[in-house]
Amino acid sequence: SGAPAARGSHLALCSFPSLQSPAAAARSAPSEVEPRQRRAMEGYRNATEVQMSQMVVPFHTNYRGELSIGQLLKWIDTAACLSAERHAGCPCVTASVDDIYFEHTISVGQVVNIKAKVNRAFNSSLEVGVQVSYEDLCNGKQWNVCKAYATFVAQGKPPAKIKLKPLIPQTEEEKIEYSIAAERRRMRLAHKDTIKGLITNSPVQSEGENRECNTVVPAEKTRVESVELILPPHANHQGNTFGGQIMAWMENVATIAASRLCRGHPSLKTIEMFHFRGPSQVGDRLLFKAIVNNAFKNSMEVGVCVEAYGHEMEVSRRHINSAFMTFVVLNGDGQPCTLPVLKPEPGDGERRYKEASARKKIRLDSKTGLRK
């Protein structure tokens, strides 16, 4: 899918993991039109559900022979977009993708199974839930890889405005996701204020003093810039640059920035706050910028932003997307290594350093159930 043509107040402004807040059930699902017992009939399948299965071949992998996260993001975005369009009945574009935590790596010869379905439809946006697992064909075992929540915006023909039909959940699981979708949407909109509050009220402490590694790396040494020319194979069925392709390119430059800090081969563990702010088309140039924002004892955050411009002489550039990615470096036993200390750049670099610490606190709080 591509990016929305314009920013609206209904767009998801940031990303969040699966929430289990008590307030999630505050907004109840609409009543069903038919008796519930008929809905629970055996063989029921959600009308928006899309399934995708992909065999992992060497072309899809990184230097370790594991499925590239960039390739996985392409498949996730494709399945989610098809699900959104199945409900909307018109083209849909990616507005944002919530936090994604990767639990396992996937190897050559294994099969990736992706299931996507719409959780809730708002005025002109939809939340799509995506479950990813992988299957070993030799022993038949399956493992969960990650769960993602993506927000899409329906695109009608100008000047007409899209008003999506409501989604009526059928099963208990669908009703829970329907209710929590509203809470996730509320917290996305409040995320920037949450970050500001943490920075203001909780002074960030440096971890450098307690670090076993005494190596200090200036943040500017991790900076990466890379340009891509958008060609027809990079465009989706609507003519915009495929959102999954943009996310894959972002993962690539983020990995290079992380590698420059650790001088090794980092593993991507978390993606946070994919936020598409505008479209790009065939013939545009995309400029990708990545830098390590903060390095903690066993993990580092890399910030990535994407700008678009029409030709080399064009001065003004359009902000297309931004995201934050968390990497770790594993030793031979699969345990995280201690990372060098990062020296942030003065000014804007110090702001990014503090915000990265605030985002880490939010991630830790969400895992331990402390967030409300």
Side-chain angles (χ1 to χ4, degrees), residues 78-92:
T78 298
C81 180
L82 294 176
S83 175
E85 292 183 349
R86 183 170 289 182
H87 178 79
C90 64
C92 293

Side-chain angles (χ1 to χ4, degrees), residues 185-203:
R185 183 170 183 262
R186 182 190 68 79
M187 297 195 73
R188 289 176 195 124
L189 297 172
H191 184 65
K192 285 188 175 181
D193 290 336
T194 302
I195 294 291
K196 291 179 181 178
L198 284 173
I199 293 175
T200 301
N201 301 322
S202 303

Side-chain angles (χ1 to χ4, degrees), residues 258-271:
S259 299
R260 288 180 175 173
L261 177 86
C262 66
R263 294 302 175 186
H265 299 294
S267 298
L268 180 59
K269 301 300 292 183
T270 305
I271 297 178

Side-chain angles (χ1 to χ4, degrees), residues 16-38:
F16 274 82
S18 176
L19 300 177
Q20 296 182 352
S21 168
R27 188 174 300 178
S28 59
S31 59
E32 300 180 54
V33 178
E34 299 180 13
R36 293 187 179 182
Q37 57 268 31
R38 293 179 185 237

